Amino acid sequence: MSQLRYEAPGSVDEAVALLASDSDAKVLAGGTDLIVQMRSGLRKLGLVVDVKKIDELMSVSSDGGAWTIGAAVSGAEMNENAALKKDWPGVVEAVDLIGSTQVQGRASAGGNLCNASPAADSVPAMVAAGATAVIAGPNGRREVPVEQVPVSPGKTSLATGEMVVAIKMPAKPARNGEAYLRMIPRTEMDIAIVGAGVSLTLDDGGTCTAAKVALGAVAPTVVIVDDAAKALIGTKVDDAALEKMAAACSAACKPIDDKRGTIEYRTKVAGVMARRAALIALERARSN
Amino acid sequence: MAKKYHVSATVNGDPVEFLCSGQETMLDVLRDRLELTGAKEGCGSGDCGACSVTVDGRLICSCLMLGVEAEGTSIETVEGMADGDQLTPLQRIFLEEEALQCGICTPGVLVAAKALLAKNPDPDETTIRYWLAGNLCRCTGYDKIVRAVQKAAAEMRA
Ligand SMILES: Cc1cc2nc3c(=O)[nH]c(=O)nc-3n(C[C@H](O)[C@H](O)[C@H](O)COP(=O)(O)OP(=O)(O)OC[C@H]3O[C@@H](n4cnc5c(N)ncnc54)[C@H](O)[C@@H]3O)c2cc1C
Ligand code: FES
Ligand code: FES
């Protein structure tokens, strides 16, 4: 029987060196995906690099309004950070939707992103909010928009030896609001059949000047719907604009058909979820 | 010979040391190496909460934690609740309110409810139901569990 080798380095450099030493090595953050996959035999055992002893991956800080969230910080801890929640409630709420209280105790945004599930809840919210991922590897560091990390179900753009160190959130623009909503067949503990993240910014007169709409679970990776954003920009986010935005979302869906949601249902609901999320984002933008 | 890891941790206030293999879960360590069989394995995949423990005060599923990760941490299980035969109010009220039948889910529910009350001494019904959404019970129905938590919370506040 193969054995699992465990290392818990104290620095990013050591973690990168370990990851680079073995092409099958995996980062262990909260383990709420990785340990499930290992136990079900989906992942073969090899080297696991626990990154939770690295301060940078476990801390949240803000600098001039911009946030740096350690990739392995748990959902529970993000949710307890009142200042972060005030700036980016949609992102924090999306992370909070992941699993139960017990799962929240360990699950991280970095793990949610790097697991590269099409239904990952935090991803559309982070994409809409303009989050970036700081990646460290054998050749140093690079920063990319979070949507560039997952490339297909279960696969990321990270090269051997690379890991996500932190998620960065920009300084909150004035009169910006964002929100994430998902549709699940039950009320808790389920996987999204559609997720919608919407961020919008208003001018003094309440006209939308910038918007970003991202959908989860309706295609192999997160979908940024430019036509949905265009439908909002230049409007007062009135019914007509929301209608157009919802139609653009439905048109952008390329969902799977399964027992949890048919293609038709997912396509329709994508517009409904985006519309509801946009209304919450609008409320938040008006009060910011 | 398979590699074993030497781990030192605190469990229910007592220092413990154990050897485990890399892939052994914390739940396996608790049950098979430390003989603390309160935490149960219902699913092994994070869905049922029967394996709930706290690690450094944080509620988690011990089936989704590796034993080696316990190094330097402080873990609390259901065995750490009662003082000898002296049950905590939460445990006693679970019995009085018949908030269990087979009892498989009970250690996890108690650990989770204790963590909730430590954070929020006066949770409303909705808060309790969401907090305990990751603790499945196939027997009692959740009403009695929720009522027992509310009653214990009231007694503990008094
Ligand atoms: C009961 C249950 C319910 C769940 N419900 C939901 C849900 O509602 N919505 C949802 O989106 N997900 C859900 N999940 C899935 C899972 O909890 C989330 O995807 C979680 O965010 C994963 O984070 P983690 O820290 O546990 O990741 P891990 O399991 O530690 O890692 C996940 C993957 O990402 C890699 N990885 C982790 N961190 C890094 C990093 N910093 N750099 C590079 N690679 C990294 C790992 O190697 C692994 O491949 C659920 C899981 C369970 C068990
Ligand atoms: S055994 Fe851990 S959640 Fe079911
Ligand atoms: S009492 Fe039997 S599962 Fe809860």
Side-chain angles (χ1 to χ4, degrees), chain A residues 19 25-37 43 51 57 71-73 94 97-100 103 106-117 119-122 156 158 162-165 182 184 189-192, chain B residues 45-48 64:
Chain A
L19 291 168
K26 293 299 285 179
V27 171
L28 172 67
T32 60
D33 281 314
L34 188 65
I35 297 177
V36 174
Q37 289 159 8
R43 291 225 181 260
V51 293
L57 274 93
V73 168
L97 285 172
I98 298 169
S100 57
V103 171
R106 302 244 305 167
S108 64
N112 198 224
L113 180 65
C114 295
N115 190 56
S117 159
D121 280 305
S122 73
T156 69
L158 300 181
E162 283 192 322
M163 62 187 269
V164 175
V165 171
R182 68 173 184 183
I184 53 173
M189 300 289 285
D190 209 341
I191 301 164
Chain B
S45 56
D47 293 288
C48 76
L64 295 187

Side-chain angles (χ1 to χ4, degrees), chain B residues 27 40-51 61-63:
Chain B
L27 178 61
K40 304 283 186 275
E41 177 160 310
C43 64
S45 56
D47 293 288
C48 76
C51 64
C61 293
S62 60
C63 71

